[in-house]
């Protein structure tokens, strides 16, 4: 009988089986792995990653990871390669060929052709004595004891092992290139991730709404300025220098404490030493400052000049968080 308990038990067994297979990969790392990283790092062309079946899907994911982390890469389907796509390979390219068995018909046809061109070939296989294993210049051992599949047939643990080895290559190459978040941003300009890595305060600041009063402005003028600029805050300036801010919360607290606003001016209710941010700062850093201090606005400066207010609602609208 199939029960929820049985389903959860099966899922746990699958995860544990894959976890065990991945942990064993450490024991199969050899000098060939280090040489493969150095070869790819020094490659003057692209890294071509090829495979057949499920290994081809892993190859595509590896290519996506390499490209996004600074290693120019290209996917070549092993079946298509022997029907014309070998022309994609250039003399300076390095090649990774992925196959669990290393003996599939397409691989047996492809490997000699790749060797004929003289490109360095890195084989990734679970069978070091296979056709691919013996025919490669360097071999990455992706051995697994078994698949999670109850019939030990469907590629599960083996494809995960290939994926992990690909990620290990990519991370090693990132470290060798000293690949930073700014570099990562160049390849991810779109979506929330791109905005988080690239968007600066200057890109989203509305300079047409720059609330500002003097320290001697009446409370009525303060309320009018906050209302007109619709940012819930105004800067308080004296001789072109920021001396404080007044938020709509300050107004409410003042009204709770006093019967009349007659005679009160901006400096009487302002908050001194407000948090500020520079115009060229990253928006995500501005957001983190707001989060750290439980505030919703920051005063924006262009070096020494007050240029406006950035509000947390504006950041949230951009979908960064």
């Amino acid at each position: 009988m199939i029960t929820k308990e049985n389903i959860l038990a099966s899922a746990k067994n699958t995860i544990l089986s894959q976890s065990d297979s991945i942990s064993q990969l450490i024991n199969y790392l050899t000098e060939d792995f280090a040489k493969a990283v150095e070869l790819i790092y020094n490659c003057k062309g692209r890294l071509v990653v090829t495979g057949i079946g499920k290994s081809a899907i892993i190859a595509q994911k590896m290519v996506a990871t390499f490209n996004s982390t600074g290693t120019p890469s290209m996917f070549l389907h092993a079946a298509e390669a022997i029907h014309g796509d070998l022309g994609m390979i250039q003399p300076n390219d390095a090649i990774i060929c992925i196959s669990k068995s290393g003996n599939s018909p397409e691989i047996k046809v492809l490997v000699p052709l790749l060797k004929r061109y003289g490109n360095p070939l890195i084989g990734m296989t679970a069978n070091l004595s296979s056709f691919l294993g013996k025919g490669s210049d360097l071999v990455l051992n992706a051995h697994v004891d078994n698949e999670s599949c109850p019939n030990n047939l469907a590629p599960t643990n083996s494809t995960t092992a290939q994926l992990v080895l690909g990620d290990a290559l990519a991370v090693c190459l990132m470290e060798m290139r000293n690949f930073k978040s700014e570099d990562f941003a160049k390849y991810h300009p779109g979506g929330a991730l791109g905005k988080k890595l690239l968007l600066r305060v200057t890109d989203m600041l509305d300079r047409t709404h720059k609330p500002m009063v003097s320290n001697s402005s009446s409370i009525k003028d303060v309320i009018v300025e906050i209302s007109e600029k619709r940012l819930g805050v105004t800067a308080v300036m004296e001789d072109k220098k920021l001396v404080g801010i007044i938020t709509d919360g300050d107004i409410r607290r003042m009204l709770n404490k006093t019967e009349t606003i007659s005679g009160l001016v901006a400096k009487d209710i302002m908050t001194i030493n407000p948090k500020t941010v520079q115009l060229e700062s990253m928006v995500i850093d501005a957001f983190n400052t707001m989060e750290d201090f439980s505030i919703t606005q920051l005063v924006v400066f262009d070096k020494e000049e007050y240029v406006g207010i950035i509000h947390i609602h504006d950041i949230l609208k951009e979908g960064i968080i």
Side-chain angles (χ1 to χ4, degrees), residues 8 43-44 46-47 65 67 94 98 107 136 153 161 165 180 189 217 223 231 242 244 255 273 286 304 308 310 318 320:
L8 290 174
C43 177
K44 302 301 181 183
R46 298 160 302 173
L47 177 62
T65 300
N67 279 325
I98 310 173
I107 297 300
S136 300
L153 293 173
L165 282 175
K180 303 294 186 183
S217 295
I223 294 173
L231 290 169
L242 179 72
L255 293 175
N273 299 320
E304 302 296 325
I310 185 170
E318 288 290 336
I320 294 176

Side-chain angles (χ1 to χ4, degrees), residues 204-224:
M204 60 183 301
L205 183 68
D206 181 2
R207 298 183 185 231
T208 63
H209 290 77
K210 188 171 76 170
M212 182 170 54
V213 296
S214 71
N215 60 357
S216 59
S217 295
S218 67
I219 299 303
K220 178 181 178 181
D221 289 339
V222 170
I223 294 173
V224 169

Side-chain angles (χ1 to χ4, degrees), residues 194-211:
K195 289 180 179 180
K196 183 178 291 188
L197 294 171
L198 292 173
L199 196 65
R200 297 183 182 274
V201 173
T202 186
D203 299 323
M204 60 183 301
L205 183 68
D206 181 2
R207 298 183 185 231
T208 63
H209 290 77
K210 188 171 76 170

